[in-house]
Amino acid sequence: MSAWQVYAHRRQIGWGDTDPARIAYTGRFADFMLEAIEGWYRDRLGTDWYRLNIDEGIGTPFVHLSLDFRSPVTPREAIDVEVRVARVGRTSLSFKIAAYGATSRTLCFEGEATSVFVDAATMKPRPIPDRYAERIAAEHRHASEG
């Protein structure tokens, strides 16, 4: 049995995240996904998008986001946004996202996101740096097993 666990980013929904229907505003869900993915970078790779861009000259713009809503999200319950590596390419990285009520474990939304590693100055694709590629590959193997 492996000690590996799916990365989960806990997000408390606030009043400012809601709309007149008193549920989380549709436009905020991409933010919830991206916050969780950046948390995954911090936890699993020991870096974040600011450091990648500023210190390493590497951008990771997203080229695909998709999202399916499963149940309403309100400030009554935090959500755990789970991040799994779905696919690893030479220059791209795809994630599967699933968000659950932190207490109820009700599936709230699912999504996918793909980013491309680029040279931050030229915005031209570049290979995933070796210093991250091995850890990303390991995450992908674990996510595929579970």
Side-chain angles (χ1 to χ4, degrees), residues 6-11 29 32-37 79-83 97-100 105 109:
V6 172
Y7 174 77
H9 176 78
R10 177 142 304 166
R11 175 64 157 79
F29 285 84
F32 302 157
M33 289 174 60
L34 296 176
E35 285 174 9
I37 292 169
I79 56 174
D80 289 332
V81 184
E82 296 182 354
V83 178
I97 308 297
Y100 298 89
R105 303 308 298 159
F109 67 89

Side-chain angles (χ1 to χ4, degrees), residues 97-108:
I97 308 297
Y100 298 89
T103 304
S104 69
R105 303 308 298 159
T106 300
L107 179 62
C108 300

Side-chain angles (χ1 to χ4, degrees), residues 5 17 32 61 69 75 81 93 101 110 119 122-123 126 135 144:
Q5 292 184 358
D17 294 321
F32 302 157
F69 299 98
V81 184
L93 180 55
E110 297 175 288
D119 177 280
T122 65
M123 292 300 287
R126 56 154 298 157
R135 286 182 272 174
S144 299

Side-chain angles (χ1 to χ4, degrees), residues 82-86 94-98 111-113:
E82 296 182 354
V83 178
R84 290 176 175 80
V85 174
S94 297
F95 298 95
K96 281 196 141 320
I97 308 297
E112 295 180 3

Side-chain angles (χ1 to χ4, degrees), residues 30-69:
D31 289 338
F32 302 157
M33 289 174 60
L34 296 176
E35 285 174 9
I37 292 169
E38 187 170 19
W40 177 89
Y41 268 82
R42 281 188 201 100
D43 186 73
R44 298 305 212 246
L45 302 183
T47 193
D48 57 41
W49 290 328
Y50 185 85
R51 285 175 179 79
L52 280 172
N53 274 271
I54 302 303
D55 300 341
E56 299 187 49
I58 300 169
T60 56
F62 282 83
V63 296
H64 171 79
L65 288 176
S66 66
L67 174 60
D68 291 308
F69 299 98

